[in-house]
């Protein structure tokens, strides 16, 4: 399943199975006891920390966050919008698979400005 995290599109194969295998590595706690809101808050903490540290998330972490968000919310896209103060604001969405394929064709995150414009349009 294609998943959009900010400006990166990844293919998360069998999200529930991936989450069941990798939740300890991810550090989110037992996924069976997580509510959707808790999953989003956990993902936000990882994204915000990477932003604070000025580091990019590695591919496996993006896949793990995708599996978590898909499994717990059903959304196939999330954008964490930075705020001037406080934590980022999560925006979850369900985007048509062909639109995600188009986002991936924009360069799989290499053309973030174009992707962010397209994301803003699709989330409206």
């Amino acid at each position: 399943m294609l998943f959009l995290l900010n400006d990166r599109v990844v293919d998360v194969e069998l999200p529930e199975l991936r989450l069941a295998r990798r939740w300890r590595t991810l550090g989110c706690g037992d996924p069976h006891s997580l509510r959707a809101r808790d999953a989003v808050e956990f993902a936000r903490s990882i994204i915000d920390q990477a932003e604070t540290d000025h580091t990019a998330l590695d591919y496996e972490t993006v896949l793990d966050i995708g599996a978590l968000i898909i499994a717990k919310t059903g959304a196939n896209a999330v954008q964490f919008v930075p705020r001037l103060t406080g934590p980022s604001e999560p925006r979850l969405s369900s985007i048509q698979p062909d639109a995600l394929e188009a986002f991936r064709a924009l360069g799989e995150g290499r053309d973030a400005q174009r992707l962010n414009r397209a994301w803003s349009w699709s989330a409206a």
Side-chain angles (χ1 to χ4, degrees), residues 63-86:
L63 288 173
D64 292 343
I65 290 171
L68 177 65
I69 296 295
I70 292 167
K72 299 312 289 185
T73 71
N76 66 357
V78 65
Q79 183 180 37
F80 292 92
V81 181
R83 299 162 111 187
L84 293 176
T85 60

Side-chain angles (χ1 to χ4, degrees), residues 41-116:
E41 287 300 315
F42 178 80
R44 176 169 49 185
S45 70
I46 292 174
I47 299 298
D48 287 353
Q49 188 61 52
E51 192 68 28
T52 298
D53 296 344
H54 303 290
T55 60
L57 294 176
D58 65 84
Y59 186 72
E60 291 298 315
T61 302
V62 174
L63 288 173
D64 292 343
I65 290 171
L68 177 65
I69 296 295
I70 292 167
K72 299 312 289 185
T73 71
N76 66 357
V78 65
Q79 183 180 37
F80 292 92
V81 181
R83 299 162 111 187
L84 293 176
T85 60
S88 61
E89 177 185 337
R91 293 184 184 168
L92 292 138
S93 185
S94 291
I95 298 176
Q96 293 294 324
D98 56 337
L100 286 177
E101 237 356 290
F103 287 158
R104 188 195 305 208
L106 287 174
E108 297 184 52
R110 282 173 254 157
D111 191 355
Q113 187 176 31
R114 257 177 95 189
L115 182 57
N116 283 331

Side-chain angles (χ1 to χ4, degrees), residues 4-52:
L4 173 65
L5 175 64
N6 290 340
D7 63 351
R8 293 176 74 178
V9 177
V10 294
D11 192 0
V12 182
E13 294 183 26
L14 304 169
E16 290 82 5
L17 182 59
R18 181 178 182 87
L19 183 59
R21 290 183 177 164
R22 298 206 24 106
W23 67 269
R24 285 182 184 91
T25 302
L26 184 59
C28 64
D30 181 9
H32 294 98
S33 63
L34 275 179
R35 294 178 299 183
R37 179 177 54 208
D38 299 329
V40 172
E41 287 300 315
F42 178 80
R44 176 169 49 185
S45 70
I46 292 174
I47 299 298
D48 287 353
Q49 188 61 52
E51 192 68 28
T52 298

